[in-house]
Amino acid sequence: MNARIAPSAEISVDPDAIARSARTVIATEAAAIRALEPRVNGDFVQACRLILGCQGRLVVSGMGKSGHIGRKIAATLASTGTPAFFVHPGEASHGDLGMIMPQDVVLALSNSGETDELLFILPVIKRQGIPLIAITGNPRSSLAGQADVHLDASVSSEACPLGLAPTASTTAALVIGDALAIALLEARGFTADDFARSHPAGSLGRRLLLHISDVMHHGSDVPQVGPDATLTQALVEMTRKHLGMTAVVDEQNRLLGVFTDGDLRRALDDDGVDLRGASVASLMSRTPKTITADKLAVEAAQLMEKHQIHALIVVDHERHVVGALNIHDLLRARVV
């Protein structure tokens, strides 16, 4: 039967008591984490060696709150270069053991080290010769004793005043998992580009994987006129292509300059300019900022921000115009 919970109106709230309780939890869990540092020893290194030498995947398993921590550890490992997935130990004994192959390594989590669902499947794992790494809060437990490598996640006390709810113990297990993930990441030489490949939908993935060629306008969508074009012809081209500028190119399609909305405003403000008779070549910027198609889209955003411009011409290494883009293209691609 569920415990009765009194309506909130009947509870007297003491702000100081609430603050003290929260600070006690933080202090308790911080102490549990600090106690882990001296335990990074040969066992931790051996665990990393087993995982680095694994020809299959790292299979993480745990029950209850340890299972929730295990899922997070598996996700962190998988996103940082260590192929990993979570198997529920209860489901494992009803068929999911078939997901664990001889070339895998198993990482089992249990604070007590006596979780029945884990101990029940251990004989099958050991019979296949699968290496077992255990994270427990009891180095003398059954799980710790059967493990090839045991990582000690014991804590002096839980943050729960009843000493019942897993709090400091789950935090300690999670930190050990994070320590494994980052140690393995560095050992593998895992880079930001590698991370982005496993996060293509995230902002980091877009910033690190999207190239200029993926977002630029090309072909007939690129605004461009010859150097003899009139101001009217240049404005018509800019209006049709909606980029706020036009490239000025020679007969070989090499970039001579760029005419922008800003150039137009400066020309209108200059009484010495014959707007009817002037060619676009006499009004264009002759040293425009450009970028190549193989650069990252984020580099275009940085270039625009640095020089306070809103569009770029894309050129090849011989300055042939191959594309164009503006800030709106980067916004649509969610690069900025």
Side-chain angles (χ1 to χ4, degrees):
M1 183 176 180
N2 292 334
R4 290 174 59 88
I5 300 177
S8 58
E10 299 178 9
I11 300 176
S12 176
V13 176
D14 182 344
D16 292 335
I18 289 175
R20 282 196 303 272
S21 176
R23 292 190 186 103
T24 298
V25 170
I26 294 170
T28 302
E29 298 199 5
I33 293 172
R34 285 193 296 270
L36 296 176
E37 191 172 355
R39 303 176 199 167
V40 178
N41 50 25
D43 290 333
F44 186 89
V45 173
Q46 180 59 18
C48 290
R49 283 178 176 156
L50 282 176
I51 298 170
L52 289 168
C54 176
Q55 298 300 307
R57 293 170 295 177
L58 182 64
V59 182
V60 185
S61 190
M63 195 72 186
K65 301 298 187 294
S66 292
H68 295 312
I69 296 300
R71 288 182 188 276
K72 194 276 179 184
I73 291 173
T76 300
L77 287 161
S79 69
T80 52
T82 298
F85 67 99
F86 179 83
V87 170
H88 191 286
E91 299 294 338
S93 60
H94 291 277
D96 282 4
L97 266 176
M99 301 168 68
I100 307 175
M101 305 301 291
Q103 62 268 32
D104 294 335
V105 172
V106 170
L107 173 63
L109 288 80
S110 169
N111 184 42
S112 69
E114 302 294 344
T115 303
D116 289 338
E117 291 84 353
L118 279 174
L119 296 179
F120 189 76
I121 64 174
L122 284 189
V124 180
I125 293 171
K126 302 296 286 186
R127 189 159 54 242
Q128 295 184 73
I130 298 172
L132 173 65
I133 303 168
I135 299 176
T136 82
N138 183 1
R140 293 177 294 279
S141 62
S142 300
L143 180 59
Q146 295 192 51
D148 295 284
V149 179
H150 175 253
L151 301 178
D152 183 3
S154 59
V155 298
S156 59
S157 64
E158 296 286 7
C160 168
L162 303 176
L164 299 175
T167 46
S169 59
T170 49
T171 298
L174 179 60
V175 170
I176 289 176
D178 286 343
L180 283 171
I182 301 307
L184 293 166
L185 174 153
E186 293 185 347
R188 295 181 193 277
F190 194 79
T191 67
D193 284 345
D194 296 323
F195 188 87
R197 291 187 185 96
S198 61
H199 298 75
S203 60
L204 178 63
R206 288 190 295 273
R207 289 174 64 85
L208 293 181
L209 297 180
L210 206 63
H211 288 80
I212 298 296
S213 57
D214 298 318
V215 298
M216 73 181 190
H217 301 265
H218 52 83
S220 59
D221 291 331
V222 178
Q224 55 188 68
V225 296
D228 297 329
T230 64
L231 180 58
T232 299
Q233 291 171 321
L235 291 176
V236 169
E237 180 73 354
M238 291 167 62
T239 302
R240 286 175 177 170
K241 304 301 172 63
H242 308 293
L243 292 182
M245 56 89 178
T246 182
V248 182
V249 299
D250 64 14
E251 294 180 353
Q252 286 74 44
N253 200 41
R254 288 192 180 91
L255 183 66
L256 299 175
V258 170
F259 183 74
T260 68
D261 289 336
D263 295 319
L264 174 61
R265 287 191 294 272
R266 284 185 286 274
L268 291 172
D269 195 44
D270 188 344
D271 293 335
V273 174
D274 178 9
L275 295 178
R276 291 183 177 274
S279 68
V280 71
S282 65
L283 302 173
M284 69 183 183
S285 301
R286 296 183 178 275
T287 56
K289 303 301 177 185
T290 61
I291 198 165
T292 54
D294 60 336
K295 297 292 186 182
L296 293 171
V298 68
E299 294 182 73
Q302 293 166 348
L303 191 61
M304 290 181 189
E305 181 179 5
K306 179 180 179 180
H307 297 283
Q308 297 185 332
I309 56 179
H310 302 289
L312 287 170
I313 295 295
V314 185
V315 297
D316 63 17
H317 294 293
E318 296 180 347
R319 291 188 67 77
H320 294 107
V321 174
V322 296
L325 75 159
N326 66 10
I327 190 65
H328 299 293
D329 298 313
L330 299 178
L331 287 168
R332 279 191 292 270
R334 293 189 289 174
V335 174
V336 295

